[in-house]
Structures are given as C-alpha cells and as structure tokens.
Amino acid sequence: SAASDVYKRQILGHNGSGKSTLAKHINGLLVPTEGTLWVDHMNTASDADIWNIRQKAGMVFQNPDNQIIGTVVEEDVGFGPENLGVPTEDIWKRVDESLKAVGMTAYRHHSPNKLSGGQKQRVAIAGVMAMHPKCIVLDEPTAMLDPNGRKEVLKAVRELNKKEGVTVILITHYMEEVVFADDVYVMDRGHIVMHGVPKEIFSRVDQLKKYRLDVPQVTLLAYDLKEAGLAIPDGILTIPELVDALSRPEIRVPKGWKLPEHTPKKEKKDLPQGKESIKLEHVGYTYNPGSAYEMHALKDVNLEIPQGQFVGIIGHTGSGKSTLIQHFNGLIRPTEGHIYFEGQDIWADKFPLRGLRSQVGLVFQYPEHQLFETDVLTDVCFGPKNQGLSPEECKERAREALKLVGFPEELYEVSPFDLSGGQKRRVAIAGVLAMHPQVLVLDEPTAGLDPKGRDEILDQIALLHEKKDMTVILVSHSMEDIAKYVERIIVMNRGEKMYDGTPREVFAHYKELEAVGLAAPQVTYIMNALRENGILVSSEATTVEEAADEILRVVSGEKKEAGSRDGQVRR
C-alpha cells in the first residue's frame, strides 16, 4: 500500500514462516533476490535511496537491548536524527516530541540500563520516531515484556498511529494484540496464506491451528461454546461481544447434551507432601552494596518447594524473579538468610555446589547464551561429561534427553547456532535433562515462540514432570500459560513474595495483580464480566476448558442457583 495510508497492519506466522525476513525487507536490511519492493516510491534495491528508505520505514526489534546504544535516554533518541544530518536545534525538538509521544519525557535523563523492559522498548520506539518515519515496523516488540510492559508499548504504538498518522506494521505471537488491527496477514513457508480483517481471520480457528497459530482466549472460548451447540456468532474478538452473545434469550444447550469429562488439575491440598526439595529462610540479596547503585533485589523471602511440584513464578520486570531462581542452584549467594537443598545448607562448608548444579538445572531466558559446542549432540553431552561419565554414557544420556524434548534425530550433528529459536530452547532443555536433575528451573522458556511451539515445549515439560516426578519451576510473563500448567503460583513484587497459592487463589486477586504490573488470564476477566452482567457463573475458572464447562453448566440449568427453571441463564 502507499506509505501515506495510515494503517495498523498485523503479520502473523509460525517461527520460520518468513515474518522477520519480510520485515527486514521493508527497511532495506535485506534486498529481494526476486521481485521488487517499494517504500514511498523508492526501490529498496537502490543504494542511492537506502538511507531515505530507512528514514521512512523505521524498525523496532524484539529485544530493545539490541537497539539502545546511548548512556542517557535523550542521547539515544537523538542518535538517529543526528546521523541523518538534522540540525542540532531540530534534533532536540524531535527528541522532545518523540519522548512525549511514547510517555517517556520524565525519564529523559535516566540511563537506559536502569529502565524496565517496557520502558526500554518505548525508548527504542521513540528513537525510531525521532527520524520522522511514515511507517514503523515492530518485530515481536512485546515478546520479552510483562503484561504491564506489553500494555505500555501497545498504547504508545496506537497513539502514534492515531495522533501522529504513522503506519504501523506489527509482527506478534500474542493473538490478543491483533484485535485492533485494520488488516491481518498470515504467513506460512514464505507465502501470505491468509489476509483479511481480524474478525475474518479469527473466525477460521481450525485453519489457524494448521499454521501453528492460535486465537485470543475469548475467541477460542466462543468457538468451543459454539462447537457444544450454543448459538454463538463467528469471529468474536472481545469480551463485550461474548457477554452480549451469551445474554441473548435464545442461548440454551441442545437436547441430549452431556458435560464433557476432564481431568481436574491438582490443587495445592492435593499436592505431594514428600521430602523437601528447596527451602529459603529469610533470604535477601543486594546488588552493588554500599555503592550509589545499591539495589535490594530480594527482601526476607521464605519459601518451601517439596519434591514433585509444578510451580509458576510471576512478577513484573525487576520484581526479583530471575534473581530468586539463580539462588536455587547457588549461582548467586544470598547477602542474608539461608538456602537448603534436601535439608542441607548449600553455602555450608564442604557442601558440593557442583553436585547441586547437576541436581537443580537452570534453563536461561536466551538459550543461545547457553549453547556453545560445534554440534547439537556434543552440546547436550557437556553436562554428563562434567559429571564424570564415559563418552558412551554421555551420548546415551544426550540421545535420551533429546528424544524427551522431541528434537529430530536428523539435526543431531547440526550446529546449535543454525537452529530456530524453538529448536535452540529444546537443545538447552535437553542439555539440562541429560544430567538427570531432580529440579528443572525454566526462565521464560517460550518467549518469542509461535503458539504451537510454545504448547509443544510446555506439554513436553508437563509430561516430564508427571512421568519422572520432577520438580518444575516455571518463570513466565504469560498468565495463560501459568494458569494452564502449574499447580502453585508464587507472585514476586519488588523483591518480596506477594502471593503464594493455587492459580484460582492467586488470580482471584486480579485487581491487586494489575496494580503491580501483572494481570490474570483473559478467562478471569471473561468470567467476572459475565457475572457483572447477571450471568451467574463461578469466577474461579482460569483456563478456557474450565470456563467452557462452567458456562455450559449454567446455561444447561445444571446449577440450579444460577439458572431459571427453563434452563435459560438468569439475567
């Protein structure tokens, strides 16, 4: 389309579908080997026009740390205009305008290193805006952010689109971010396979799943209810639309309908009360003590995790999550308190810390930082090798671990650096599993993955947890993933433990979670919205499956207190 058209366009697609490659073509980072790409009537293959093209079409990457180079926010935002030869007086005007547009004026004299992920991403957007582009391309800008950070960035982007008239092209794996787009493109194997407005695209749930994609929880819930026989319209995208659909008098279940049977998720009271795995007593940790940059990352944390639990840890950026989990296997030594593994103080004299790190395996947020060998099999062998096992035993352990995470055998001799993001994560997890740990700690293992890849990895981890009675500790910014998989949630806020309970218990405090930069799964908001509109469902559901069951029970009249005698929902 012409660059003067003001659109919010979304590009969806699985990992490896060609989204990022397409994005890099739009501002000339790549040049097509076939065909021609025009930006504001300029050919991206023209060397003479390349800098003008990059001024017209700005790019914001997934990780803002890869894009921020200044030591002070205002200097970083002014870097682009300065390189375009803009006069100094005009540079400062552009810096002022751009920081105001993204709501970061108050931070102009701060160091970018001291900002949260969401704030850094807004600075990156401001840096692109200061070049006065007609179009801004955002490649997974919210993949690494907490719920509040995602809201901050998307709000800034929508404001730029509406008030500044900037065309926005957003690449994302968060389906709920697509709802407000004017146009949606779906890619697969380098081709555009679907194109339309969000309502058209998301009405084709089965087709999207074939392309390894997903739909917003509200859309999936409406789809499941329609599949069960309710007269729900196609393409529901928002909670008000679903509430309106369920409020219609004709909504009732068909004759002969039976509630599907599901295996209930274990609640905290049902969890094994076996031997203690990890215990923290009054743990505190301070970065840079005694300096101008002193920061208390953890404060008086008390925590017990028995063997065999599946625990989720959530918290806003900077809440202390990553610092906390690095204490579990002794990567960080607490400045206060004690840490125990199977009843032994891990910092006591003669405690075998090296052995602990074999028993408590940690998979970092960026798996490429954890891989270093020449091929996949050798990389996975590294842990067992350091445990003193023979080469034959190492290879046997490595093959077993790679099989457990579903990694294809034909790629065992490939360099880990030539793998996709999802494949790298599988190899990193396999490298830890090959050491036969009792505890598996995962820091954002699915960030940046497409929905199918996310589900494959988390399903595999859940299977390992169940089959091997392995303790799993999952750090995630996805409330939906946390609700679906874990049995217990620990909420961190400013270095302190804020909540500790089952998903139902924790997400019941969704308003308090929002106040500290978090959220609940979309299902929680759906069920509370239904109750507020007189549809008396229980608000305890935290997954789409639980919500569908609860709504169908109420609509069918199975819950007498929630429905009238004729089976319709009381309003």
Side-chain angles (χ1 to χ4, degrees), residues 480-496:
E480 288 75 18
D481 289 347
I482 288 288
K484 181 178 178 181
Y485 290 96
V486 311
E487 306 157 10
R488 173 187 177 191
I489 298 175
I490 296 162
V491 183
M492 296 297 294
N493 179 42
R494 296 182 179 180
E496 299 180 274

Side-chain angles (χ1 to χ4, degrees), residues 308-382:
Q309 271 196 353
F310 199 143
V311 181
I313 300 178
I314 63 175
H316 59 81
T317 304
S319 63
K321 305 185 302 297
S322 294
T323 302
L324 176 67
I325 63 173
Q326 288 179 71
H327 279 78
F328 293 163
N329 71 347
L331 286 180
I332 293 179
R333 183 169 187 161
T335 48
E336 298 172 18
H338 298 275
I339 300 171
Y340 300 90
F341 179 70
E342 295 185 346
Q344 295 184 63
D345 189 331
I346 69 170
W347 291 105
D349 288 343
K350 298 182 180 179
F351 182 87
L353 269 178
R354 188 171 179 177
L356 171 70
R357 287 163 190 159
S358 295
Q359 294 302 308
V360 181
L362 178 57
V363 179
F364 294 101
Q365 186 171 7
Y366 298 101
E368 56 269 26
H369 297 168
Q370 204 160 340
L371 308 175
F372 59 91
E373 284 286 6
T374 54
D375 62 74
V376 167
L377 193 64
T378 306
D379 202 287
V380 179
C381 284
F382 181 79

Side-chain angles (χ1 to χ4, degrees), residues 360-567:
V360 181
L362 178 57
V363 179
F364 294 101
Q365 186 171 7
Y366 298 101
E368 56 269 26
H369 297 168
Q370 204 160 340
L371 308 175
F372 59 91
E373 284 286 6
T374 54
D375 62 74
V376 167
L377 193 64
T378 306
D379 202 287
V380 179
C381 284
F382 181 79
K385 180 181 176 182
N386 278 275
Q387 289 178 311
L389 300 181
S390 69
E392 293 75 22
E393 288 175 309
C394 290
K395 286 185 179 180
E396 185 180 340
R397 289 261 196 110
R399 291 180 182 278
E400 175 195 37
L402 287 165
K403 188 176 180 181
L404 281 171
V405 298
F407 190 83
E409 192 170 349
E410 61 268 22
L411 297 179
Y412 284 7
E413 296 181 6
V414 170
S415 167
F417 303 105
D418 292 335
L419 303 176
S420 70
Q423 290 168 335
K424 285 179 181 177
R425 279 172 174 79
R426 291 175 192 269
V427 173
I429 293 169
V432 172
L433 291 177
M435 295 187 289
H436 287 187
Q438 294 183 32
V439 182
L440 181 63
V441 186
L442 304 116
D443 191 2
E444 293 283 352
T446 62
L449 297 188
D450 59 53
K452 181 69 173 176
R454 172 202 68 203
D455 290 345
E456 285 174 351
I457 282 184
L458 291 177
D459 285 347
Q460 198 68 49
I461 290 166
L463 190 63
L464 288 170
H465 161 71
E466 184 180 338
K467 283 188 172 182
K468 294 183 174 291
D469 193 33
M470 184 183 292
T471 305
V472 177
I473 300 170
L474 172 67
V475 177
S476 179
H477 282 144
S478 170
M479 302 302 106
E480 288 75 18
D481 289 347
I482 288 288
K484 181 178 178 181
Y485 290 96
V486 311
E487 306 157 10
R488 173 187 177 191
I489 298 175
I490 296 162
V491 183
M492 296 297 294
N493 179 42
R494 296 182 179 180
E496 299 180 274
K497 189 172 71 171
M498 182 178 177
Y499 293 117
D500 184 351
T502 65
R504 289 184 180 184
E505 291 168 346
V506 170
F507 289 133
H509 300 281
Y510 66 97
K511 292 183 179 178
E512 290 86 350
L513 292 175
E514 287 177 346
V516 296
L518 293 172
Q522 192 179 39
V523 160
T524 300
Y525 298 98
I526 294 169
M527 302 307 272
N528 280 281
L530 290 172
R531 286 186 64 83
E532 288 168 7
N533 283 270
I535 302 175
L536 302 182
V537 293
S538 166
S539 59
E540 290 187 341
T542 58
T543 66
V544 170
E545 193 176 73
E546 291 172 351
D549 287 356
E550 175 64 14
I551 291 169
L552 289 168
R553 281 193 182 95
V554 171
V555 172
S556 69
E558 185 172 312
K559 285 195 172 183
K560 301 300 182 183
E561 73 279 7
S564 60
R565 291 180 183 176
D566 62 3

Side-chain angles (χ1 to χ4, degrees), residues 286-299:
T286 304
Y287 285 103
N288 305 309
S291 74
Y293 298 103
E294 180 175 290
M295 184 185 72
H296 298 284
L298 296 177
K299 305 170 190 173

Side-chain angles (χ1 to χ4, degrees), residues 11-19 140 171-173 175 185-188 211-213 450-451:
I11 301 176
L12 305 177
H14 58 80
N15 294 120
S17 63
K19 306 183 304 298
E140 294 273 3
I171 297 172
T172 184
H173 284 144
M175 299 299 113
Y185 293 88
V186 178
M187 295 191 68
D188 179 56
Y211 294 130
R212 297 177 61 89
L213 297 176
D450 59 53

Side-chain angles (χ1 to χ4, degrees), residues 26-27 42-44 49-57:
I26 294 173
N27 77 339
M42 292 178 286
N43 186 341
T44 60
D49 290 327
I50 192 64
W51 294 112
N52 287 327
I53 287 169
R54 288 176 183 167
Q55 181 183 353
K56 300 294 183 184

